Amino acid sequence: MKRLTYAWQLTREFGWGNIFRILRDSIMSVSKYHIIGSTVRLEASTLCQLRCQVCPLAQGKTGILGKGYLRYSDFKRFVDQNPRIRNIELSNYGEIFLNPELMEIIAFAHSKHINLTALNGVNLNNVSETVLEALVRFGFKAIYVSIDGASSETYRIYRRGGDFDTVISNVRRINYYKQKYGRKFPYLVWQFVVFGHNEHELSAAKKLAKDLNMGFVVKLNWNKSYSPIRDEDLVRREVGYATRDDYERRNKRLYMPHCYQLWDSPQINWDGKLLGCCVNRKKDFGNVFEEGLENCLKSEKYIYAKNMLKGKVRPREDIPCFDCPNFERIRSKKFSPVLGTLRRLKNVLLGDEGLGIRR
């Protein structure tokens, strides 16, 4: 019954008309772009003011990403040329609020009925009052705010250069504008990367997130060598899992299967390079701003990468996935991009992940 309630809540928020358009555009995208759905990931900025210890950007390992931000002119042209794309995820490696043209991007997306999200995470340390208000006025759909602790002392251990109180204040300002305008968007979700140094604050962070009317999700640290979890039993009690294996046994699905993104939400860099997934920093599949999204997604190299991930062709060194740890991992597990995508869509609609409504 609860699951039906969450699904009905989303239906009321988006409206039957929007849901119909989403389904229609999703079907059209399969034939036009060979992707499932009508979503792409288009990084707004690879700039970041923090110095998080295991972040590749903080270590200068940008690879082909470079340092820069998405221009409004490129965004506008991309949207105009690809009317079937209705959902755009703006966050990836950098901080979207360091894009000086973000205000124009948000306003234009709203005028074109494009759903914008930042589900990969923002640090929300440096953002103007004008942009905070615009997030609400222009209906930015959902934002994951990376807050790895429930106190200033713990937060700054990993988020070096960040200020806990500033982040919480900015969350409160967004809530203020939501109340002022009578809006429910953007959904705000507290994203907690669990480490050994912050695991003791999980319970306090959950409580504070609830007080701030935020959802709450926990991510595992991708780099096990940095501040590994000390008390796995504690984390399991608070979260339900403390390792990837725990998660997969409990949920009967892969933990953060980035490879699915080649099918359901291909990643594009701020300068137009098609990366395929949000992990890739090595090689691209062409430039969608120069060659067009359809041409890049239907290129021989991109199609080969998809077949390689499905195990239909031999691994090829010029494919970015060739020496990726995620590729090695899925080769040992049953990998079905179509079923995986549909399963993820179901979990979002029923509140298990994505917008984090149930938490």
Side-chain angles (χ1 to χ4, degrees):
M1 183 59 69
K2 284 186 177 181
R3 289 176 176 270
L4 291 175
T5 300
Y6 301 133
W8 177 247
Q9 182 180 352
L10 278 178
T11 300
R12 286 193 304 164
E13 300 294 352
F14 285 97
W16 286 108
N18 282 332
I19 290 177
F20 172 77
R21 282 192 292 272
I22 290 170
L23 291 173
R24 178 198 63 195
D25 292 331
S26 296
I27 293 170
M28 295 297 291
S29 293
V30 172
S31 60
K32 185 172 177 62
Y33 303 115
H34 290 179
I35 61 174
I36 304 166
S38 54
T39 300
V40 298
R41 299 166 183 267
L42 180 54
E43 174 125 58
S45 168
T46 51
L47 306 172
C48 187
Q49 76 280 50
L50 304 190
R51 303 180 304 280
C52 306
Q53 290 93 315
V54 297
C55 174
L57 265 62
Q59 299 171 0
K61 300 176 182 178
T62 58
I64 64 170
L65 304 181
K67 291 186 177 181
Y69 61 86
L70 174 66
R71 266 57 176 187
Y72 165 70
S73 57
D74 287 331
F75 180 81
K76 181 179 185 300
R77 187 169 65 254
F78 177 83
V79 168
D80 287 339
Q81 290 175 352
N82 299 282
R84 295 297 175 193
I85 298 302
R86 310 308 303 163
N87 311 287
I88 299 179
E89 164 64 33
L90 291 178
S91 63
N92 192 25
Y93 277 104
E95 173 68 358
I96 72 170
F97 296 114
L98 296 186
N99 184 327
E101 300 182 24
L102 184 63
M103 182 78 171
E104 291 87 345
I105 289 171
I106 295 173
F108 181 73
H110 175 72
S111 72
K112 292 291 186 176
H113 307 290
I114 301 292
N115 297 315
L116 295 181
T117 58
L119 301 182
N120 208 44
V122 303
N123 65 60
L124 204 63
N125 273 273
N126 298 81
V127 52
S128 71
E129 193 73 17
T130 303
V131 171
L132 288 173
E133 184 177 12
L135 293 171
V136 178
R137 281 201 304 119
F138 295 121
F140 200 103
K141 284 296 180 287
I143 301 173
Y144 274 30
V145 186
S146 299
I147 315 176
D148 314 316
S151 66
S152 296
E153 293 74 22
T154 300
Y155 171 82
R156 64 177 176 236
I157 291 174
Y158 180 68
R159 302 283 167 183
R160 292 185 177 178
D163 184 86
F164 178 82
D165 293 331
T166 297
V167 177
I168 299 301
S169 174
N170 285 332
V171 168
R172 295 188 191 279
R173 293 305 294 168
I174 293 173
N175 285 337
Y176 163 77
Y177 286 116
K178 286 165 73 171
Q179 184 175 22
K180 176 181 177 180
Y181 290 107
R183 306 283 175 82
K184 295 184 178 180
F185 295 122
Y187 285 119
L188 298 178
V189 179
W190 184 310
Q191 179 172 268
F192 191 109
V193 180
V194 62
F195 299 104
H197 67 260
N198 67 8
E199 60 190 25
H200 65 288
E201 291 191 347
L202 271 167
S203 180
K206 275 198 235 180
K207 183 179 183 305
L208 184 52
K210 184 177 181 180
D211 293 342
L212 292 168
N213 196 29
M214 301 176 74
F216 189 82
V217 297
V218 173
K219 285 177 67 175
L220 299 175
N221 176 17
W222 66 273
N223 188 332
K224 296 179 181 179
S225 65
Y226 175 79
S227 190
I229 291 172
R230 300 165 187 168
D231 189 341
E232 290 190 356
D233 290 337
L234 181 152
V235 175
R236 287 191 185 99
R237 286 196 302 272
E238 293 289 342
V239 184
Y241 55 90
T243 66
R244 288 190 175 198
D245 288 338
D246 283 349
Y247 178 94
E248 291 171 357
R249 280 193 299 268
R250 180 174 182 260
N251 296 285
K252 302 296 188 294
R253 61 178 180 268
L254 294 174
Y255 178 78
M256 297 183 69
H258 305 297
C259 308
Y260 289 143
Q261 293 171 8
L262 273 75
W263 281 267
D264 65 21
S265 52
Q267 178 71 53
I268 303 166
N269 199 38
W270 61 271
D271 57 1
K273 294 188 188 80
L274 177 60
L275 305 175
C277 77
C278 65
V279 176
N280 178 26
R281 291 178 284 120
K282 299 176 182 177
K283 302 168 186 174
D284 63 72
F285 294 96
N287 191 300
V288 304
F289 294 162
E290 298 169 3
E291 305 163 51
L293 178 62
E294 183 176 1
N295 290 334
C296 290
L297 291 176
K298 291 183 176 180
S299 68
E300 183 276 337
K301 188 174 179 181
Y302 197 80
I303 292 172
Y304 194 96
K306 290 165 117 180
N307 286 326
M308 191 173 111
L309 288 166
K310 290 189 290 185
K312 290 187 173 182
V313 295
R314 65 174 181 81
R316 208 168 80 185
E317 290 190 25
D318 65 322
I319 303 298
C321 320
F322 179 77
D323 54 357
C324 175
N326 290 305
F327 173 54
E328 291 301 321
R329 191 162 165 271
I330 66 166
R331 292 178 77 180
S332 63
K333 296 179 180 287
K334 192 172 182 179
F335 179 67
S336 172
V338 175
L339 290 178
T341 296
L342 294 176
R343 195 176 294 120
R344 288 207 294 175
L345 176 61
K346 180 205 74 173
N347 294 328
V348 170
L349 289 175
L350 297 181
D352 284 339
E353 55 186 59
L355 300 181
I357 294 172
R358 70 177 299 184
R359 297 171 177 83

